Amino acid sequence: MKLGVSSYCFRQLIGSGEMDLIGVLDWVAASKAGHIEIAATDGAYYLENERVVRDTAKHAEDVGVPIVNYLVSGDLRDADGKEVDRLRRQLDVAQAFGAGIFRHDVAPWAWRERDPGEFESTFEKVVEGCRAVADHAAELGMVSTIENHGFFMNGGERLARLVHAVDRPNFRVTLDLGNGLCVGEVPGKTAADLIDVAASIGVKDFHIRRSAGEGWLKTLAGDYLLGTVSGHGDLDLPGLLALAATKPDVPVSLEFEGMEAPLPAIEQSLANILRLTTEGLA
């Protein structure tokens, strides 16, 4: 398994100024992780700071930590030309980082269609936008992806349908092994539906409850989720990792989003993932 981490794991430390991407790369180089993906929210900072991108890419090469995936937000519900152009520019940033995979959203995280008609009309526009982005990615020799993420484009059937409709060989999925829970789907089903079209895989773990206090995410099924150290939650990580292991060339990245102290939580998560994977292959 090609195991790495997402920079999203370090968001608290980056936000507080305790670490920057160079520091994150140094930490990863000394850890059990072998690569990094860069989660850049809207990516505007990197468009405005080309030197940071160049310096980060050079440092990643120097310390032997490949940047495999670059992730940004996106909103293709209107197939707006400005948004497509923005995502094309972000693809150029991804290439400058040295990433071969680019992940973009297609709607705000919390948005959900009001009825089937709105889903179908929005879906048509999303397909058009994803094709335009994927075509530019192809010009750069890259893969563009959509993640099962949020409340709209989530669940195995919706993403598999999107990949089929976009119909581009370089348009694939960034498969998050836990996010299907947000729309009430069993993670094993999501993973099984999408593993064959996955260009990258994200690992996280959740505590799952039927009722909970403040700070928990309520799913469409009425459950409540709280991120935690991988291996400490309620997901069937051994089974999910066994499925991921059937695609050894697909990079797998930890995405820690719990309330625990980040660095020890990341370290423990990596150790647990490696242990569970080894046990599953034994």
Side-chain angles (χ1 to χ4, degrees):
M1 176 183 291
K2 296 181 178 179
L3 179 61
V5 296
S6 171
S7 69
Y8 186 77
C9 299
F10 302 87
R11 67 198 180 283
Q12 296 177 24
L13 300 172
I14 294 174
S16 68
E18 296 176 64
M19 296 182 78
D20 59 12
L21 268 181
I22 298 298
V24 169
L25 285 167
D26 289 338
W27 191 95
V28 174
S31 76
K32 295 178 179 355
H35 66 255
I36 191 170
E37 61 174 31
I38 296 178
T41 59
D42 65 359
Y45 174 79
Y46 296 117
L47 279 176
E48 299 165 0
N49 293 274
E50 294 181 7
R51 183 175 179 179
V52 172
V53 175
R54 290 196 305 270
D55 290 348
T56 301
K58 176 64 165 55
H59 194 73
E61 184 178 359
D62 290 345
V63 299
V65 178
I67 299 170
V68 300
N69 196 2
Y70 179 67
L71 298 77
V72 298
S73 61
D75 187 356
L76 295 174
R77 291 174 296 167
D78 296 320
D80 182 84
K82 290 182 179 180
E83 179 66 349
V84 170
D85 287 344
R86 183 185 75 83
L87 292 175
R88 286 174 174 148
R89 294 196 302 274
Q90 288 295 335
L91 264 165
D92 296 337
V93 173
Q95 185 187 49
F97 269 127
I101 304 168
F102 175 68
R103 189 226 77 174
H104 64 88
D105 293 332
V106 298
W109 183 89
W111 187 79
R112 181 79 175 185
E113 75 279 0
R114 290 167 294 185
D115 53 56
E118 186 175 28
F119 172 80
E120 294 298 336
S121 61
T122 304
F123 183 82
E124 292 177 4
K125 296 171 184 175
V126 165
V127 169
E128 179 183 342
C130 287
R131 283 176 179 159
V133 175
D135 288 343
H136 185 59
E139 294 171 358
L140 301 176
M142 297 177 61
V143 174
S144 67
T145 72
I146 171 69
E147 182 179 344
N148 54 311
H149 179 68
F151 289 141
F152 168 58
M153 195 50 63
N154 200 344
E157 292 183 7
R158 287 193 173 191
L159 268 78
R161 179 183 172 191
L162 181 62
V163 171
H164 177 75
V166 172
D167 193 25
R168 296 293 189 269
N170 69 317
F171 181 72
R172 289 293 179 259
V173 169
T174 288
L175 167 60
D176 187 294
L177 295 178
N179 277 352
L181 287 166
C182 296
V183 293
E185 188 165 279
V186 177
K189 180 185 184 306
T190 310
D193 284 348
L194 299 176
I195 189 65
D196 287 336
V197 292
S200 65
I201 296 172
V203 181
K204 59 163 64 97
D205 206 348
F206 291 116
H207 297 299
I208 307 172
R209 301 290 182 272
R210 286 302 298 172
S211 61
E214 186 176 351
W216 292 63
L217 168 67
K218 187 176 183 180
T219 74
L220 296 186
D223 294 319
Y224 290 82
L225 308 178
L226 183 68
T228 188
V229 172
S230 289
H232 289 186
D234 296 313
L235 268 66
D236 175 22
L237 275 189
L240 293 168
L241 292 171
L243 186 61
T246 66
K247 303 292 181 180
D249 293 330
V250 175
V252 177
S253 301
L254 169 69
E255 185 179 327
F256 167 71
E257 56 182 27
M259 299 176 69
E260 297 90 342
L263 295 184
I266 297 166
E267 187 174 11
Q268 184 65 63
S269 292
L270 290 170
N272 288 345
I273 291 168
L274 289 170
R275 175 179 57 81
L276 292 170
T277 301
T278 301
E279 291 174 355
L281 296 174

